[in-house]
């Protein structure tokens, strides 16, 4: 009886999410995610080995680990003066614009690649991760070509930002 009372008292606080049946016990609405009826089913899961097996150690590679982290930080720190200089001192030359665009493309690629690595583990969804990596490469190449065309055949990124800012 006490649990029925507690359930009915708690359900009174959740009136927008719950409805009452004939006995007065609240029922959860259809769109509520519960352990019995999940909105999205989990991905396929497999267990490899036993719990006593050691975790596999990946083979070291120069483009991963601390070198990769250092490269990311150098690109990020390099973007700071390249972003400020054209607006503080004027558009100095097209080479600086080209370096800015190149670092922006590399910075974006590395950031999106890290997101793909974090959210789509190769062990669970290898085909999805491979597909997303190829999509990222295609978008990176398209962005690089588009920025190159904009830099060579138009006013350039920093001048375009200045014009939009003053418009």
């Amino acid at each position: 009886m006490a649990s029925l009372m507690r359930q009915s008292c708690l359900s009174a606080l959740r009136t927008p999410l719950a409805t009452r049946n004939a006995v007065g016990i609240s029922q959860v609405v259809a769109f509520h995610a519960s352990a019995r009826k999940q909105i999205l089913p989990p991905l396929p899961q497999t267990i490899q080995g036993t719990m006593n097996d050691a975790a596999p150690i990946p083979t070291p590679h120069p483009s991963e680990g601390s070198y990769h982290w250092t490269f990311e930080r150098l690109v990020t720190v390099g973007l700071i003066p390249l972003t400020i200089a054209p607006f503080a001192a004027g558009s100095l030359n097209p080479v600086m614009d080209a370096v800015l665009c190149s670092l922006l493309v590399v910075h974006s690629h590395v950031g999106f690649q890290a997101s793909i690595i974090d959210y789509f583990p190769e062990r669970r969804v290898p085909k999805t991760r491979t597909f997303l990596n190829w999509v990222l490469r295609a978008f990176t190449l398209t962005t690089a070509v588009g920025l190159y065309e904009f830099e060579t055949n138009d006013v350039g990124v920093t001048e375009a930002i200045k014009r939009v800012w003053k418009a």
Side-chain angles (χ1 to χ4, degrees), residues 74-98:
L74 287 174
V75 168
T76 305
V77 169
L79 277 171
I80 296 170
L82 285 173
T83 305
I84 297 171
F87 303 107
S91 202
L92 302 175
N93 57 21
V95 174
M96 190 174 72
D97 266 1

Side-chain angles (χ1 to χ4, degrees), residues 24-97:
I25 300 173
S26 85
Q27 295 176 331
V28 179
V29 294
F31 293 111
H32 181 74
S34 66
R36 289 178 293 162
K37 184 177 179 182
Q38 294 181 346
I39 294 175
L40 295 174
L43 294 170
Q45 299 176 4
T46 59
I47 298 173
Q48 299 171 350
T50 66
M51 65 180 168
N52 294 326
D53 292 343
I57 299 172
T59 55
H61 194 272
S63 66
E64 298 173 0
S66 63
Y67 294 119
H68 183 73
W69 187 88
T70 305
F71 176 72
E72 285 179 355
R73 298 309 170 263
L74 287 174
V75 168
T76 305
V77 169
L79 277 171
I80 296 170
L82 285 173
T83 305
I84 297 171
F87 303 107
S91 202
L92 302 175
N93 57 21
V95 174
M96 190 174 72
D97 266 1

Side-chain angles (χ1 to χ4, degrees), residues 7 17 20 24 35 46 48 56 59 63 84 91 93-94 106 110-111 117 125-126 131 146-147 154 157-159 164:
Q7 186 178 9
L17 297 176
R20 293 179 182 263
T46 59
Q48 299 171 350
T59 55
S63 66
I84 297 171
S91 202
N93 57 21
V106 169
V110 168
I117 289 170
V125 284
F131 173 73
L147 284 173
D154 210 340
V157 173
T158 55
E159 187 62 31
V164 167

Side-chain angles (χ1 to χ4, degrees), residues 66-158:
S66 63
Y67 294 119
H68 183 73
W69 187 88
T70 305
F71 176 72
E72 285 179 355
R73 298 309 170 263
L74 287 174
V75 168
T76 305
V77 169
L79 277 171
I80 296 170
L82 285 173
T83 305
I84 297 171
F87 303 107
S91 202
L92 302 175
N93 57 21
V95 174
M96 190 174 72
D97 266 1
V99 172
L100 173 65
C101 289
S102 301
L103 283 180
L104 281 172
V105 169
V106 169
H107 178 71
S108 300
H109 180 84
V110 168
F112 281 115
Q113 186 180 35
S115 297
I116 291 171
I117 289 170
D118 287 345
Y119 292 109
F120 298 96
E122 194 170 12
R123 237 180 52 211
R124 288 185 71 195
V125 284
K127 291 179 182 176
T128 304
R129 182 170 172 174
T130 303
F131 173 73
L132 289 174
N133 277 327
W134 281 105
V135 168
L136 175 63
R137 290 176 188 134
F139 277 124
T140 300
L141 182 65
T142 304
T143 303
V145 169
L147 284 173
Y148 172 77
E149 289 293 323
F150 189 62
E151 286 293 324
T152 56
N153 298 329
D154 210 340
V155 294
V157 173
T158 55

